[in-house]
Amino acid sequence: MRRARGTVAGDAGRGEEVPRGRTKWWPTAVLVALAALVLLPVLVVLVAAVGLVASDSEYPLGGGPEQRPCPEALGFGGAALPDGAEPVGACTMQGWQDVHYSAVFRMPRAGVAEWLAHTYPDAPAPETEFCGDAAVDLCLDLDYAQGLPDGVDAHAVQVSVEYEDASTALVRFAAFTL
């Protein structure tokens, strides 16, 4: 005996209709797909993080220091190499999301204050006490709100000066974006 479609087995052919399941699976499929889409970026970030930790490079995302001409490094912060100055080592640029230029040079000690005043005329007086490092004798921290000239590419400039002897100063210059 054939069973009627939608009937209960064993009802001896009485033909009682049994309601079919009305579960709609597409909302469940949509929820599963959305969960996968949400979790996929988390998985990608975790894999990338493991890759960064295991990377041999100090700069796995790029942006390691590159040598640049000192006039370029100083110019980024609105400065120029002062008269009588000699670069110490290479001037560098480093960047991935932000850009950071640095330069180190020696110059006559007597010309430091004049160079800073000429380069940054609207800047406050350089600090002599609270420079952060005991070896630093003079420091200047600038940004657009505090003495950085218009038209400068950098968002901030830091200058620290160490008086090496009675006639020589070692100047560390950094200009960067935020």
Side-chain angles (χ1 to χ4, degrees), residues 5-6 10 13 15 17 19 27 36 48 59 68 94 102 110 119 125 128 135 141 143 149 161 170-171:
R5 190 170 180 195
E17 286 285 325
Y59 305 97
R68 292 286 199 236
Q94 183 174 349
S102 64
T119 303
T128 56
D141 288 324
D143 58 28
V161 181
L170 181 68
V171 178

Side-chain angles (χ1 to χ4, degrees), residues 47-146:
V47 169
V50 169
L52 291 178
V53 170
S55 175
D56 291 339
S57 172
E58 187 176 341
Y59 305 97
L61 297 175
E66 301 172 10
Q67 289 187 5
R68 292 286 199 236
C70 288
E72 178 184 330
L74 291 161
F76 186 75
L81 202 59
D83 292 334
E86 296 177 20
V88 175
C91 295
T92 61
M93 186 276 292
Q94 183 174 349
W96 180 62
Q97 289 183 336
D98 298 318
V99 177
H100 184 276
Y101 280 89
S102 64
V104 179
F105 56 91
R106 282 190 175 83
M107 67 177 291
R109 180 177 172 164
V112 170
E114 181 182 337
W115 174 70
L116 286 172
H118 175 73
T119 303
Y120 302 111
D122 297 329
E127 287 282 332
T128 56
E129 291 183 40
F130 304 106
C131 294
D133 186 354
V136 175
D137 297 300
L138 186 71
C139 60
L140 184 63
D141 288 324
L142 303 174
D143 58 28
Y144 280 118
Q146 191 177 23

